[in-house]
Amino acid sequence: MNVGYGITFISAGFPSPAEDFTELSISLDKYLIQNPAATFMAYANGKSMVQSGIHHGDILIIDRSLNARNGDIIVALLYGEFMIKQLSIIKDTFFLVPKNSEYSPLKISDDMDFEIWGVVTYSIRKHR
């Protein structure tokens, strides 16, 4: 077991039977939330982001204090509807890019009712 920055790392290989796992303690709030006043959680709905590892029902950690950058996964508000997409910026033009080949990118034009609501910093998936 390796410990760094207050985080315990557990080998995904074959663990040593001599390892002591009884002291494993991680505060998810401390690790996942940098700015509590601007951080929200929501459930992912749909399958447009599966190739980025976000699946239906995953919990998203969204930080509204971050400025979105090219390549970030964002929560956008488009005509009053929330959506999760990857932000692509090409020559000052925004595109909302799904990470599922069944969906097409969406070019954002000036006449659209569009807002970047926040940046997805983490997603949490239940495995069982």
Side-chain angles (χ1 to χ4, degrees), residues 12 14 21 23 27 39 69 72 77 79 107 126:
F14 294 101
F21 293 102
E23 294 183 28
S27 168
T39 302
R69 298 183 298 210
D72 280 345
L77 196 55
Y79 297 112
K107 179 181 178 181
K126 184 176 181 178

Side-chain angles (χ1 to χ4, degrees), residues 39-85:
T39 302
F40 297 84
M41 290 186 226
Y43 290 103
N45 184 27
K47 57 182 183 172
S48 73
M49 297 301 289
V50 294
Q51 291 170 340
S52 68
I54 297 175
H55 297 265
H56 179 80
D58 287 355
I59 297 171
L60 305 174
I61 311 288
I62 306 153
D63 190 334
R64 295 202 66 201
S65 70
L66 297 175
N67 290 320
R69 298 183 298 210
N70 187 43
D72 280 345
I73 296 175
I74 63 167
V75 173
L77 196 55
L78 183 63
Y79 297 112
E81 297 286 327
F82 285 104
M83 62 176 57
I84 309 159
K85 298 290 182 269

Side-chain angles (χ1 to χ4, degrees), residues 60-128:
L60 305 174
I61 311 288
I62 306 153
D63 190 334
R64 295 202 66 201
S65 70
L66 297 175
N67 290 320
R69 298 183 298 210
N70 187 43
D72 280 345
I73 296 175
I74 63 167
V75 173
L77 196 55
L78 183 63
Y79 297 112
E81 297 286 327
F82 285 104
M83 62 176 57
I84 309 159
K85 298 290 182 269
Q86 184 177 43
L87 178 64
S88 178
I89 305 170
I90 302 172
K91 296 182 182 178
D92 295 328
T93 302
F94 288 9
F95 293 86
L96 300 181
V97 181
K99 301 309 283 181
N100 181 333
S101 58
E102 295 178 18
Y103 299 89
S104 300
L106 176 64
K107 179 181 178 181
I108 301 300
S109 60
D110 290 336
D111 63 333
M112 296 174 129
D113 181 16
F114 169 75
E115 174 187 350
I116 296 175
W117 195 81
V119 176
V120 175
T121 55
Y122 293 95
S123 61
I124 302 170
R125 177 174 317 117
K126 184 176 181 178
H127 291 273
R128 183 174 183 195

Side-chain angles (χ1 to χ4, degrees), residues 11-46:
S11 172
F14 294 101
S16 166
E19 297 280 355
D20 180 13
F21 293 102
T22 60
E23 294 183 28
L24 180 63
S25 176
I26 300 172
S27 168
L28 291 179
D29 284 351
K30 185 176 180 181
Y31 181 71
L32 299 178
I33 299 174
Q34 303 304 312
N35 187 351
T39 302
F40 297 84
M41 290 186 226
Y43 290 103
N45 184 27

